[in-house]
Amino acid sequence: MQTKASVLQRTALIRHLPKAELHVHLEGTLEPEMIFLLAGRNRIPLKWKTPDELRNACRFRDLSGFLEIYFKGCEVMTTEEDFHDVTKAYLERAAVENVRHAEVFLGPQSFLARGVRLQEILEGILSAVDEMKDRISCYYLPSVLRTGTEAEAVELVKRLAPWYDRIAGFGMGGAEKGNPPSRFAGYYSACRERGFHTTVHAGEEGPASYVKEALEILHTDRIDHGNAADGDACLLKKLAETQVPLTLCPVSNLRLNVVKEMKRHPLKKFLDAGLCVTVNSDDPAYFQAYLNENWRICADTFHLNRGELLQLAKNSFKASFLPETEKRRRIAEVESFGKEEKDGSSLS
Ligand code: ADE
Ligand code: ZN
């Protein structure tokens, strides 16, 4: 039974749990107020009159409808200071939510196309990561656009060479339908040859075959979303066996109509089937839910118990690109937090 007291205890547990966020786009952390601040200082006109007007425009039909506004928002980020401030604002907010490690995407291509220099992007992000390192560790994952060509993606990997020692891995996002993962096999080989971890958005709006291609053709270390595996028993078996993690984004899926209601989200089914799933925010400013709110909504919808919440926290470190010793240390931290917390809790 879910009593009010148990729901409150669960919310407190979520707030205090040490956890990692593995699927968040820095461009998607641009709060309306930040968009107006950056637009003002860079003298960029906006089509919205106030931050609230922009907030009210954040009702999306689907992924493409969302990406239109998302790329409009990106236009206000032009200087190193902008990339620094956006990164720092996200990390500050995540640290308050007890996110101890974050792996953050940003796709340089849309900025480069508008004349922003790669150096400004990288130095802006990395200086904020350095400033916050005592409160939260953060890996930057450049992401390429699947609507572009594979040659453009490989070109970006090469241009990032001066920063290879500060990059943990590479990803890919953008409008999914009609842009299958298999088209980017060469890009993923180029990343792996250089020793990088890899991840790919697949099975968010695209079919189960895209998740299969990610596993069998791209061989990525993890898959972003992967919802479409729901309903494909063979694929679920393979995901459980290989433990290739799925970085799920439940509120994003609800806001973009990937699921019609939260009850239909496959999170609980995937957890019960033994998949290594994690809960993430994707684009928290646009979907009005940062990490803990994603966790809380899932916990309330699926009546997740203590054990399941601790499992999600452990999965978040297990699925990260941290070195193995560091993963073990952080998982042990979740376990000891769980033991200490249990004494003062009546949650099952
Ligand atoms: N870029 C930012 N958010 C995204 C999403 N949900 N899917 C694909 N690309 C994205
Ligand atoms: Zn995403």
Side-chain angles (χ1 to χ4, degrees):
M1 233 259 292
Q2 286 213 106
T3 62
K4 196 169 170 199
S6 69
V7 169
L8 284 175
Q9 270 194 357
R10 202 167 48 202
T11 305
L13 170 64
I14 289 168
R15 190 162 353 108
H16 293 112
L17 252 178
K19 53 193 116 48
E21 168 143 73
L22 305 180
H23 182 166
V24 57
H25 303 262
L26 287 173
E27 302 95 320
T29 69
L30 269 173
E31 288 289 337
E33 286 74 14
M34 179 69 98
I35 290 185
F36 274 74
L37 178 87
L38 301 187
R41 83 184 181 202
N42 294 324
R43 302 189 201 299
I44 293 169
L46 290 173
K47 68 174 190 174
W48 308 281
K49 289 198 183 64
T50 62
D52 276 340
E53 192 181 317
L54 166 53
R55 200 168 270 115
N56 286 334
C58 287
R59 289 173 222 281
F60 311 108
R61 183 183 64 250
D62 56 15
L63 175 59
S64 310
F66 160 67
L67 290 172
E68 265 174 45
I69 288 203
Y70 169 92
F71 285 119
K72 271 261 155 262
C74 288
E75 290 176 13
V76 302
M77 292 173 74
T78 61
T79 67
E80 180 173 329
E81 189 187 9
D82 299 339
F83 291 91
H84 169 276
D85 292 354
V86 171
T87 308
K88 188 146 178 193
Y90 163 71
L91 290 175
E92 297 252 15
R93 192 149 183 175
V96 169
E97 294 200 356
N98 263 309
V99 176
R100 302 285 173 84
H101 176 69
E103 299 188 356
V104 301
F105 294 119
L106 180 126
Q109 286 162 312
S110 76
F111 301 100
L112 295 172
R114 285 187 291 102
V116 179
R117 288 170 54 231
L118 195 55
Q119 172 148 356
E120 306 236 15
I121 300 172
L122 270 287
E123 298 305 327
I125 295 171
L126 297 173
S127 59
V129 167
D130 289 342
E131 279 169 34
M132 290 296 292
K133 73 177 187 330
D134 293 335
R135 292 177 60 200
I136 177 171
S137 59
C138 177
Y139 286 170
Y140 168 50
L141 313 178
S143 174
V144 299
L145 283 169
R146 69 197 317 145
T147 43
T149 65
E150 183 178 67
E152 286 161 353
V154 174
E155 168 69 15
L156 178 67
V157 176
K158 292 181 180 161
R159 284 183 66 184
L160 284 164
W163 296 278
Y164 279 177
D165 62 334
R166 299 296 313 270
I167 290 170
F170 282 82
M172 180 167 75
E176 190 182 6
K177 281 188 199 154
N179 296 304
S182 51
R183 208 158 64 71
F184 286 83
Y187 159 67
Y188 279 98
S189 305
C191 295
R192 243 193 327 277
E193 271 164 24
R194 290 165 172 79
F196 293 113
H197 291 288
T198 55
T199 183
V200 61
H201 282 59
E204 178 187 16
E205 276 193 344
S209 63
Y210 284 19
V211 180
K212 205 157 174 255
E213 285 185 12
L215 282 177
E216 295 174 0
I217 299 175
L218 304 187
H219 306 289
T220 53
D221 297 304
R222 58 187 193 224
I223 293 170
D224 299 309
H225 297 290
N227 300 45
D230 190 14
D232 185 327
C234 219
L235 196 49
L236 287 180
K237 190 160 171 266
K238 182 147 189 184
L239 287 163
E241 275 166 13
T242 57
Q243 289 290 291
V244 171
L246 301 183
T247 63
L248 303 176
C249 303
V251 174
S252 160
N253 294 156
L254 190 65
R255 300 275 182 258
L256 300 185
N257 289 312
V258 170
V259 292
K260 294 288 170 235
E261 49 183 348
M262 197 51 94
K263 272 192 297 203
R264 297 209 216 166
H265 195 280
L267 164 71
K268 178 76 164 91
K269 198 195 244 183
F270 286 177
L271 254 186
D272 291 346
L275 274 64
C276 180
V277 292
T278 69
V279 171
N280 306 272
S281 69
D282 208 8
D283 301 289
Y286 289 95
F287 306 141
Q288 285 153 35
Y290 282 78
L291 191 60
N292 285 353
E293 183 65 355
N294 270 269
W295 280 57
R296 190 193 62 73
I297 290 173
C298 291
D300 288 354
T301 305
F302 299 110
H303 301 185
L304 299 180
N305 62 31
R306 238 175 129 270
E308 288 164 330
L309 292 170
L310 290 171
Q311 186 63 52
L312 284 173
K314 286 191 267 184
N315 286 356
S316 72
F317 293 112
K318 177 180 165 190
S320 75
F321 295 154
L322 286 164
E324 288 302 321
T325 49
E326 191 61 18
K327 283 189 195 185
R328 279 197 292 275
R329 188 180 73 74
R330 304 223 189 188
I331 290 168
E333 229 175 84
V334 175
E335 280 166 351
S336 64
F337 172 88
K339 282 201 195 91
E340 279 168 30
E341 193 269 347
K342 193 170 185 194
D343 300 334
S345 164
S346 59
L347 272 184
S348 57

